[in-house]
Amino acid sequence: MDGVILGIAIMVLPLMAIGGFVLALEARGRLKRLEARLAALEGAPAGAAPLPETTSEVEPAADAAAEPEAGPEAVTEPGSDSEPDAALAPAGPKPSFEERFGTRWVVWVGGLALALGGIFMVRYSIEAGLLGPGARVALGALLAVVLIAAGEWTRRRELASGLLGISSAHIPSILTAAGTTVAYAVVFAAYGLYGMLAPAAAFVLLGLVAVATLAAALLHGPALAALGMVGAYLAPLLVSTSEPNWWALAIYLVVVTGATFALALVRLWRWLAITAVVLSALWALPGVLAGGTAMAPVIVQLAGCLVLAAALIVAGLLYGPPAEPGRIDAISSGAIATYVVAGALLVLASGHDTLALAGFGLLVAATLAVAWRADASAAAVPAAALMTALVMADWAVKAPVGQLLVESDMVRLEVDPARRPVTGHLVVGGLFAALFGLAGLLRQGGSPRAVPAMLWAGSAVAAPVAILLALYWRVGDHTHSYSFAALALIGGALYALASDRLQRRPHRPGLAAGVAIFAVGGVAGLALALTFALEKGWLTVGLALMVPGIAWIAEKRPVPALRWLAAVMVAVLAARTAWQPTVADDLGTTPILNWLLWGYGVPAAAFWWSGWRLRKRADDIPARMVESGAILFTVLTVFVEIRHYIHAGDIYAGTAGLTEVALQVNAILAVAIGLEWVRGRTGSIVHNVAAAILTAMAMVGIVGGLLLFDNPWLTGRRIDGAVINLILLGYLLPGILAGVLAVLTRPTRPAWARGIVAGVAVLLGFAYLSLQVMRLFGGPYLSDNADTTLYALSVAWLGYGVALLLGGLLLGSQPARLASAIVLLVTIAKVFLVDMGDLEGAYRALSFIGLGAVLVGIGWLYQRLLFRKAPPTASESTR
């Protein structure tokens, strides 16, 4: 008992100190005003009207010399800091650290300490067993009354004394906030901890405290609103018990949230509404984690808060703020969507408990109903569609969605036999699909702006398609299913019918977009029907075939969202291919005509056509994404088909050899040439960048693979075939392609870039001649250094140098002539350094004779064709 008395005394003493501080401030303020009046009287002209004696009410003075004081009427918001009129009191220096600390920070902390002290006192009394439940509740209520009374008393004294002009924390509002927080805790403890109140009585008392807090905040301003709200939401956490009463908590949170929403509406404090939405939704997490008996109360809490948000926050609905017709409000949509997200988390955490799933369905239906009545909350519709798709996807796969996000490299989407019962989810999925589809269709043309109608239409298509995919994955075990194919076909037909009916309606905002979006749904239904009906990797094919359909519809109905939808589908296909590069489970060993051609070639062709259609209207980001997808899948088609052919169906083989590298390099060069040709006609930055990237890849493959690591002269690989062999495939053919690429890019690429490609082409030609001579004269293994081989190499190099020179002269190409000079210098070095020592007899002589003759001939060509001098004049010839 002594401890309790001591605790009360400790709480009372600060209140007495605060009261003394307020009286001191009041006395000092009166003294300052008297000094100001005296100075004004001494400086006032004769006949000036005397200043008013009271400060409770000030009438505007007619005389410019009159100086009224700031009374209650001058305060725009009770409880906020008031600034004196700039014309009457010049702005002083900014408050110092000491002033801020003494007038603001300590007051804020003190108010929070008062609230926490009251709550901790109740908790201490529980733990120590000092008082019975009745005494604890009574003392808590007494403390709440004292704090609220102190706040009201200081507010009245402040108005009477004129202390509103002091730039400081608002003491009355902080005291009142502390009192209301304690009052919340007391009522909750009396009902939830001790069972002293029946549910009806607790509800009434909580409502009274909420109304009192609302009324007080109207007088005291945002400080009370903020502290009171935070304290109210923290009270159940601080005053806790080992056996929580979830129903009491749910009722408490609904009442507190409703009171906060009402205050935010009256004072137009959007920040207060947002904070209340977030805190009330976060309070669902403990119940989500607890499960069991907490399930129903959490659902009721979320549903009640959603209804309150619809009634008090959503613009244009019931008691919400006014709304501009057709305009989407972020707070209205976000508030509704937040509770739907919390409901989805409840379903996921509970393992799709029946009650949780039913509660989520109720929240989704309520969301659509609210958005139907108020366009301000229309953005909550796609959020509800996304959460529905997430819930169905979580049910369809073995690993929960949360685990997929964290361990995406370790888990696989497999059907869980333990979760095999599907009847309930089939029914729920069908209801969800029908709900989104019908609501989205019926809402078309019902808004004065286009965006709400587009959101409804997009959700009407996306949600049922996602649900159907999830059900197919779970029930059909991701194999062919004629039942799901029929469902997809029916859905596609319904979407096509809806698109046709909407097109016949009179023009309304967003109707054209709705026609296009529902047409996309028809294309999606047809693609999915093909996917479900056929085996293997037809899902990839079906999704790819959706893109041309979307592009065609986007051309007929120029809706920006459709172009982005096509781009998103390309990204989805790329992700799906990265997840399963083989497309199908069994590729077989048949070259070219296997499932890779369907899984990569069909998307490539579809994306090329789609990119062309999209580019006809605009060269924007979606068009570029689709074109990038076309190039990507074209390159992948070639790459995986070559791997499949070389490694007998194993595209994951960890090795590569000369044959594969040669084929890959030739293919990349061919695609690069094609892109350069296309680029010259489209001017597309995508084609430009892709051609440059592929060219760089080919150069790396040539230098690193063909000339170094897989060079048969260095590796000792056997070369079969005298002329038609791997040397032709790996060196002559890519050399020709590189030369074509260098010539093709002369008008478009920088000189340095063309020079690199041309140099690599020359190098490949030199390598081909060398290796082919070794093969002809040395046999299958290119290691024979006989005299005939060495001599043949010298002859071949001289001939190659001459050919380059003649080509440079005919084409007027200095780089070709420089390449000729380099080859000739290499040949000269070989003759003098190698042939002189290794060759004997006639071969040595012929080597030098041939070299000399060729060099003389080259000199003659240069003199006659390139640097020919003019004939001497008559005067010069007679000298």
Side-chain angles (χ1 to χ4, degrees):
M1 190 67 179
D2 294 338
V4 175
I5 297 175
L6 179 59
I8 296 176
I10 292 175
M11 290 188 295
V12 172
L13 288 176
L15 294 177
M16 297 174 61
I18 293 173
F21 176 71
V22 171
L23 294 177
L25 283 180
E26 180 182 355
R28 186 178 66 174
R30 290 181 180 275
L31 180 60
K32 287 185 176 180
R33 288 195 299 276
L34 289 175
E35 292 176 350
R37 289 195 182 94
L38 180 59
L41 289 175
E42 290 177 352
L51 294 174
E53 294 295 332
T54 64
T55 62
S56 59
E57 185 174 355
V58 180
E59 296 294 337
D63 195 337
E67 184 182 353
E69 294 181 280
E73 294 79 9
V75 181
T76 58
E77 186 176 283
S80 62
D81 297 338
S82 301
E83 300 294 338
D85 194 336
L88 301 179
K94 293 183 178 180
S96 63
F97 169 79
E98 182 181 6
E99 182 178 354
R100 292 177 183 272
F101 178 80
T103 62
R104 302 182 185 181
W105 300 344
V106 295
V107 179
W108 293 336
V109 176
L112 179 61
L114 285 173
L116 293 176
I119 296 173
F120 289 145
M121 178 58 66
V122 175
R123 184 169 185 173
Y124 170 74
S125 67
I126 296 174
E127 294 174 350
L130 298 177
L131 297 172
R136 299 169 192 168
V137 172
L139 285 176
L142 178 61
L143 176 60
V145 171
V146 170
L147 290 173
I148 294 174
E152 180 61 19
W153 180 80
T154 53
R155 185 186 71 85
R156 293 176 180 272
R157 298 294 299 174
E158 184 179 75
L159 291 176
S161 62
L163 287 179
L164 289 174
I166 298 177
S167 178
S168 61
H170 196 243
I171 296 174
S173 62
I174 290 178
L175 290 174
T176 306
T180 56
T181 302
V182 175
Y184 277 123
V186 168
V187 177
F188 178 75
Y191 169 60
L193 300 181
Y194 307 125
M196 300 173 61
L197 297 174
F203 183 83
V204 171
L205 287 178
L206 287 172
L208 291 176
V209 174
V211 172
T213 304
L214 170 63
L218 290 173
L219 294 174
H220 292 275
L224 174 61
L227 291 178
M229 178 185 62
V230 173
Y233 281 108
L234 287 179
L237 186 63
L238 297 175
V239 183
S240 60
T241 180
S242 58
E243 297 180 0
N245 189 327
W246 294 104
W247 280 110
L249 178 62
I251 296 174
Y252 174 83
L253 291 172
V254 169
V255 173
V256 169
T257 303
T260 309
F261 286 169
L263 176 60
L265 174 64
V266 172
R267 298 304 298 269
L268 298 180
W269 289 336
R270 296 169 68 88
W271 62 268
L272 188 65
I274 296 173
T275 309
V277 168
V278 173
L279 292 178
S280 59
L282 288 177
W283 258 112
L285 295 180
V288 168
L289 298 177
T293 58
M295 192 76 63
V298 171
I299 294 174
V300 171
Q301 174 211 332
L302 293 175
C305 291
L306 189 147
V307 171
L308 289 172
L312 301 175
I313 292 182
V314 175
L317 182 65
L318 297 179
Y319 304 103
E324 183 178 347
R327 183 183 182 90
I328 295 178
D329 178 62
I331 294 180
S332 301
S333 298
I336 301 299
T338 299
Y339 297 116
V340 178
V341 171
L345 292 178
L346 183 63
V347 176
L348 300 181
S350 65
H352 291 252
D353 179 82
T354 303
L355 183 58
L357 192 60
F360 175 71
L362 178 64
L363 293 174
V364 171
T367 298
L368 298 185
V370 172
W372 183 283
R373 293 291 305 276
D375 285 340
S377 60
V381 175
L386 178 62
M387 290 298 102
T388 302
L390 181 64
V391 166
M392 298 303 297
D394 178 80
W395 169 76
V397 300
K398 178 178 181 180
V401 173
Q403 183 181 354
L404 290 176
L405 297 177
V406 177
E407 304 176 1
S408 57
D409 59 333
M410 298 177 60
V411 297
R412 289 292 181 265
L413 302 181
E414 300 175 355
V415 176
D416 184 4
R419 299 165 70 181
R420 177 61 64 180
V422 297
T423 304
H425 278 75
L426 282 174
V427 174
V428 171
L431 291 176
F432 275 134
L435 181 63
F436 279 102
L438 289 176
L441 174 62
L442 297 177
R443 193 70 181 112
Q444 298 304 299
S447 175
R449 295 194 179 188
V451 176
M454 293 172 62
L455 294 178
W456 278 101
S459 302
V461 172
V465 168
I467 292 171
L468 184 61
L469 280 172
L471 293 175
Y472 161 74
W473 190 275
R474 176 64 179 273
V475 179
D477 201 13
H478 49 270
T479 60
H480 69 286
S481 171
Y482 297 114
S483 299
F484 277 95
L487 288 176
L489 196 60
I490 293 173
L494 291 176
Y495 282 131
L497 179 62
S499 178
D500 179 69
R501 292 297 178 89
L502 290 176
Q503 192 172 9
R504 300 179 183 179
R505 291 185 182 180
H507 175 72
R508 289 283 296 168
L511 197 60
V515 171
I517 293 173
F518 279 101
V520 170
V523 174
L526 178 59
L528 291 178
L530 293 175
T531 302
F532 297 155
L534 302 175
E535 296 182 358
K536 295 186 177 179
W538 284 104
L539 177 60
T540 300
V541 177
L543 294 177
L545 292 177
M546 287 179 59
V547 180
I550 296 172
W552 180 79
I553 297 170
E555 184 179 2
K556 302 300 180 182
R557 301 289 179 182
V559 179
L562 291 178
R563 301 174 67 86
W564 280 103
L565 179 59
V568 169
M569 291 303 303
V570 172
V572 170
L573 258 296
R576 193 264 183 226
T577 304
W579 173 52
Q580 189 181 9
T582 58
V583 182
D585 296 331
D586 183 14
L587 295 175
T589 58
T590 305
I592 309 299
L593 300 178
N594 50 58
W595 254 100
L596 295 173
L597 185 63
W598 293 102
Y600 289 88
V602 171
F607 297 164
W608 276 112
W609 189 89
S610 304
W612 170 63
R613 303 298 294 188
L614 293 176
R615 176 174 289 281
K616 290 178 65 176
R617 182 169 294 275
D619 182 16
D620 53 5
I621 294 179
R624 294 176 180 179
M625 290 180 63
V626 175
E627 289 181 329
S628 300
I631 297 171
L632 174 64
F633 274 84
T634 300
V635 174
L636 289 177
T637 301
V638 176
F639 176 79
V640 296
E641 285 285 12
I642 291 174
R643 295 230 81 197
H644 179 273
Y645 167 70
I646 295 297
H647 300 285
D650 183 13
I651 66 173
Y652 296 112
T655 60
L658 177 60
T659 305
E660 181 179 357
V661 173
L663 289 173
Q664 299 287 10
V665 166
N666 285 312
I668 293 175
L669 285 172
V671 176
I673 291 172
L675 286 176
E676 289 287 355
W677 181 84
V678 173
R679 173 206 175 200
R681 284 151 179 78
T682 63
S684 170
I685 187 175
V686 174
H687 300 151
N688 181 14
V689 173
I693 292 175
L694 290 177
T695 300
M697 292 172 58
M699 298 301 104
V700 172
I702 290 170
V703 176
L706 298 179
L707 297 179
L708 294 178
F709 298 107
D710 293 302
N711 190 327
W713 181 55
L714 299 176
T715 61
R717 171 175 178 147
R718 177 186 176 90
I719 302 297
D720 296 321
V723 177
I724 308 300
N725 50 36
L726 281 179
I727 300 173
L728 184 146
L729 177 67
Y731 297 90
L732 179 60
L733 185 56
I736 295 173
L737 291 175
V740 172
L741 183 60
V743 174
L744 184 62
T745 56
R746 289 182 67 180
T748 57
R749 296 294 182 185
W752 64 267
R754 302 194 313 270
I756 292 175
V757 178
V760 171
V762 171
L763 190 59
L764 284 171
F766 183 81
Y768 170 74
L769 284 175
S770 302
L771 296 174
Q772 185 60 39
V773 167
M774 293 179 187
R775 174 61 183 84
L776 289 174
F777 291 90
Y781 297 98
L782 311 181
S783 58
D784 186 6
N785 292 325
D787 290 351
T788 54
T789 303
L790 291 176
Y791 178 73
L793 283 174
S794 298
V795 173
W797 291 2
L798 281 174
Y800 187 53
V802 172
L804 288 175
L805 176 60
L806 293 177
L809 292 174
L810 292 175
L811 298 175
S813 172
Q814 186 183 33
R817 299 196 300 269
L818 293 176
S820 170
I822 294 174
V823 172
L824 290 175
L825 288 174
V826 172
T827 306
I828 293 171
K830 174 185 178 296
V831 170
F832 280 91
L833 298 178
V834 179
D835 293 0
M836 183 179 292
D838 293 346
L839 293 180
E840 296 180 354
Y843 286 114
R844 179 187 296 175
L846 290 175
S847 177
F848 275 87
I849 291 171
L851 175 64
V854 171
L855 293 179
V856 171
I858 290 173
W860 182 84
L861 287 175
Y862 270 92
Q863 292 175 8
R864 294 290 181 177
L865 299 179
L866 287 179
F867 304 104
R868 183 176 183 178
K869 294 183 178 180
T873 60
S875 59
E876 292 175 339
S877 61
T878 57
R879 291 178 183 176

